[in-house]
Amino acid sequence: MMKLTAEISMYPLKENYLEPIQWFIDRVDSYSNIERKTNAMATQICGDYREVMNMLAIEMQAAHEKWGKAVFVVKFIGGELNLSHSQ
């Protein structure tokens, strides 16, 4: 099973931007096989490659349908990174 680590930032194009971001993070948390860590700038996720990509497709579409326009910026790296690592 190939792992995928991704860092995602959501930028809702609305004044009340915190509510859609928290909503998206809560939805990501509903996927028990995907690990999530969030900091002030972005959310990192890690899991099975297909599960991460499927979750992103489903949840990004759901976010656009619920909240309207939002920009998602995502960086991907093949493999599993330790999301708890800090320097």
Side-chain angles (χ1 to χ4, degrees), residues 11-81:
Y11 301 97
L13 300 180
K14 58 189 314 152
E15 284 188 37
N16 179 17
Y17 60 89
L18 291 177
E19 185 180 359
I21 292 169
Q22 187 60 56
W23 177 89
F24 185 81
I25 291 168
D26 292 344
R27 301 269 298 205
V28 170
D29 284 345
S30 73
Y31 294 79
S32 61
N33 292 336
I34 296 176
E35 180 185 1
R36 176 196 58 86
K37 294 282 184 190
T38 298
N39 61 41
M41 302 265 310
T43 294
Q44 291 84 32
I45 55 178
C46 184
D48 174 71
Y49 196 103
R50 287 183 191 270
E51 289 181 23
V52 169
M53 293 302 285
N54 288 337
M55 180 276 294
L56 287 174
I58 291 166
E59 299 307 335
M60 288 171 56
Q61 179 178 347
H64 285 127
E65 289 172 350
K66 180 169 178 66
W67 301 104
K69 292 183 179 171
V71 175
F72 288 91
V73 177
V74 187
K75 296 186 283 186
F76 297 99
I77 184 166
E80 184 173 12
L81 297 181

